[in-house]
Every structure is written in C-alpha cells, then in structure tokens.
Amino acid sequence: MRPARIILVATCVAGLALRLWLALRCEAVPDFSDMAVYNNLALSPEFSLFPPPVYPLFLRGIYGIFGQQAYTAVFAVQGVLGAISVLLVYRIAERAGGRAAGLVAAAVAAFYPNLVAYGLTTLTETLSVFIALLILDILCGKGGERVRSAAVAALLVIGFLVRPAFAFFGPGVLVATRRRVVFVITAAALLAPVIVAGVSHGGGIGAVLFYKTYNETSDGRHYVDIEDTAIGKDDLPASVYLSAALRFILRHGWRTVDIVYNKASVLVSRGFDTFILHEVIGDGPFMTNVFMYAYLPVMVLGLVGLVRYAGGPASPVTAMLVSYTVLNVLLSVFKWRYRLLIEPMLIVFASILLTRAFTECRRSIHGDET
C-alpha cells in the first residue's frame, strides 16, 4: 500500500475505534429535548411528517434489531456513519485541494469533538452530516452528469426529510450541479407528494420556523415555543406564519437587523450546545474548554481558506456552505447544532489553506537555498 493510503486507513480506523469505544462507554440517556421527541416517534407505530420521518424510522430500524431504546446500538451505528464521513471528508478535500489536504482534513474530522459527540445522541446531526458529505462527494466527483444530478437531488430530498434545514443547501447544490434541469425535475418529482401531504396536514415547517425567528417574543438568537407567540398554534396554513413574520420585519427594521446579526454571530462563536451535550461530556472544565475552543481554529482557518480558494475544484463546497449559512441566517433559526452541518466544509478549507501554505513555505525555503 502507498504511504498515503496507509495513513488514510489508519486515520479512519482510529476515528471508528474512538467512536465505538465512546459508544460502549456512554451512559447518557437521551430522554429530553428533541432527543426524547425522536425516541418517542421511533417507538410509536404512527407515522408523522413533523418532525420529519426519516430519522425516527432510522431509530426504529435499530430498535427493531437490537431492542427498544438500545441507545448503545444507536451510538455505535452512528459511530460507523461518522467514520465513513471521515473518509468522505478525505475524498472531498483531496479532490478540492490535493492528497495532502485530504489527509489533513480526515485527521481533523476523525477526532473533531463536535462530530464525535453528536454521535452519542439521538439527534439528526450525524446522519445529516453524512448525507451532506455524500452530496458533496458526488458533486466533486466524476461520472455521468445526469446520473449525478439525479442522485444529489434524491439525497437532498432525503436530507430534507431528515431535517428541513437541508432545503437551504438547495440553491448551492443547484449552482454546483451540471445538469440543472435533471436536478430540478428529480427534486420536484420527489418533493411533490411531501408538499401535498404537508399542505393537507396544515402549517408548514419552514413557515413556522420563519415566524418563530421574526415575532414579538423573539430575542434574536433563540426561538420561542410556538405556544408563547401571538399566534400560539402550529397547525395553521403556512401563509399565516409567513404574513405575520413579514409584518414584523416591516415594522421593526432595526430589531430585524439585530436578529440577523445575532444569528450570523453563531458562525464565528466559540460556543457549543451545552444543553444537548451536557449529558455526554459532563461538567469537567477540561472537556468544556475542548468543546469551547476546538471550533476556533477550524473557523478562522476555514473562512480564510474559503476566501482564498473558493473557486475551481472547491466551488461545490463553497456553494453549499454559503447557501446553507446565508439562508439559515435570513430565513430560519441558526444555532450551534445547525452550524455542525457546515463545520466539515470549514475543515476542508482549513486543510487546503494549511497544506498550500506549507507547500509555499517549502518552495520559499528551497528557493532561498538555491
């Protein structure tokens, strides 16, 4: 085996070993917040469009094999998905910035705290990251353009049925794909029954989140429960929530700017979701500091790398990252959990920046020696 392949295999195996070791040791019980919601849906015989059905069905399949509330099995399966995601990060970074960038990106992703920790929850993050990276892997690869365009459209719809925020990747994927007509037709055909079912059910996930973001009780960063708002219901027509949010924006210009600013600040914040991860990482100052500051170098280097290497082979990564971030900030809630979907993309750009800087430094040194 070539040295690079040995390093890659060792990195993926180490990432898998870490995730499985933690899965076997984790004693956290995901019985609160959205984790409890997904658990209850997985254990229920009913089928619901809200919350989206794919992740509860994913849990239901694991529980069907290993027993009800087999959390260790869930964590282990998600650990395997996380290890495969490390390989996908390598493939994306290798195609966008070269083999060295791929190896650095894989090494970071293998041990990156957020990517590891969310696998120890019954939340959609690990599955969502895997699907987003699979889309990028296809976009950055080669092959039949029509097949690839149809495949990314199908994956985007599946991602939407895992978590609705996947819709914000849509414009970026559309820009990055070559056969846009095929992409649009495939996505529309797959989404049509979902939209019909959603309209017949009443309300609309995107409209509700838009309203939760822009309403009289919003504080700019967090969104309130729908019961605490003026409307107080989550089963009304989508037009009700859209019109209420638009009225708020028109009446409160500066407050709207403040809300957008506060949400955008999450991108450059060192914070993490302590409410969700408290049971996983505990209260120790060491682990808290690890989670607080692990994102900072990835964010700084990733954003610098994005500015410098946005085009060329890395353009699909750029399109998806920018599309998701901008639309999340403007149209919905943007929290630390939501930021996780773009953190692997920042890892890719950070790795490209580091390896290119190292190469330029070596050339400069060798040039001086000659």
Side-chain angles (χ1 to χ4, degrees):
M1 297 177 68
R2 296 179 179 177
R5 188 171 298 177
I6 294 174
I7 295 172
L8 175 61
V9 171
T11 300
C12 292
V13 170
L16 176 61
L18 173 64
R19 286 162 172 79
L20 293 181
W21 180 72
L22 291 173
L24 295 175
R25 289 174 56 87
C26 183
E27 297 179 355
V29 178
D31 58 357
F32 63 98
S33 183
D34 289 346
M35 294 183 285
V37 173
Y38 289 122
N39 267 332
N40 293 335
L41 287 172
L43 297 172
S44 171
E46 299 179 358
F47 181 85
S48 173
L49 280 176
F50 185 74
V54 169
Y55 189 69
L57 292 175
F58 171 78
L59 291 178
R60 190 179 298 180
I62 296 175
Y63 292 158
I65 297 172
F66 296 99
Q68 291 189 357
Q69 297 179 323
Y71 300 133
T72 300
V74 174
F75 303 157
V77 171
Q78 292 184 155
V80 172
L81 286 181
I84 298 174
S85 295
V86 173
L87 177 60
L88 292 175
V89 167
Y90 165 81
R91 287 164 57 93
I92 295 164
E94 189 269 338
R95 291 165 177 167
R99 182 178 300 168
L103 293 174
V104 172
V108 174
F111 305 102
Y112 188 63
N114 272 349
L115 295 179
V116 174
Y118 276 106
L120 304 174
T121 68
T122 53
L123 290 169
T124 63
E125 270 63 29
T126 298
L127 182 59
S128 297
V129 167
F130 173 73
I131 296 173
L133 290 174
L134 201 56
I135 292 173
L136 268 178
D137 182 58
I138 295 173
L139 288 175
C140 293
K142 298 179 180 179
E145 296 293 348
R146 290 186 178 86
V147 174
R148 290 167 58 216
S149 298
V152 296
L155 285 170
L156 190 67
V157 172
I158 293 172
F160 175 77
L161 294 176
V162 174
R163 59 188 306 167
F166 253 84
F168 298 140
F169 282 127
V173 177
L174 179 63
V175 169
T177 193
R178 297 286 183 87
R179 295 290 185 265
R180 292 169 185 165
V181 174
V182 174
F183 171 82
V184 171
I185 292 175
T186 304
L190 294 175
L191 274 176
V194 178
I195 295 173
V196 170
V199 170
S200 63
H201 176 268
I205 297 173
V208 170
L209 290 179
F210 187 46
Y211 170 68
K212 284 182 177 181
T213 300
Y214 300 103
N215 67 83
E216 297 294 342
T217 56
S218 174
D219 64 7
R221 184 182 297 275
H222 304 289
Y223 66 90
V224 296
D225 291 332
I226 196 73
E227 292 81 6
D228 298 330
T229 66
I231 292 179
K233 296 182 179 180
D234 60 0
D235 58 351
L236 300 175
S239 59
V240 174
Y241 305 107
L242 293 175
S243 60
L246 290 173
R247 284 197 302 271
F248 175 89
I249 291 172
L250 293 174
R251 292 174 182 174
H252 305 284
W254 284 112
R255 192 171 169 195
T256 299
V257 171
D258 184 59
I259 291 173
V260 172
Y261 169 80
N262 284 328
K263 290 193 295 176
S265 67
V266 172
L267 180 64
V268 294
S269 167
R270 70 179 186 276
F272 70 103
D273 197 338
T274 55
F275 177 67
I276 293 295
L277 297 184
H278 167 78
E279 295 293 330
V280 176
I281 70 171
D283 294 322
F286 174 75
M287 288 306 299
T288 299
N289 287 331
V290 167
F291 275 82
M292 287 288 284
Y293 295 103
Y295 172 68
L296 283 183
V298 167
M299 178 267 294
V300 173
L301 296 175
L303 291 178
V304 174
L306 171 65
V307 172
R308 292 195 61 181
Y309 306 111
S315 57
V317 189
T318 302
M320 284 187 63
L321 189 158
V322 172
S323 170
Y324 178 84
T325 305
V326 171
L327 292 181
N328 241 317
V329 167
L330 294 179
L331 301 179
S332 185
V333 185
F334 192 55
K335 302 186 294 183
W336 292 307
R337 276 177 55 197
Y338 291 31
R339 190 180 70 187
L340 185 71
L341 266 69
I342 63 169
E343 290 179 24
M345 303 175 197
L346 292 174
I347 290 173
V348 168
F349 279 114
S351 302
I352 295 173
L353 179 70
L354 287 173
T355 53
R356 296 279 175 86
F358 179 74
T359 301
E360 292 172 5
C361 183
R362 285 187 60 185
R363 288 176 179 170
S364 176
I365 293 173
H366 291 162
D368 292 341
E369 290 177 353
T370 55

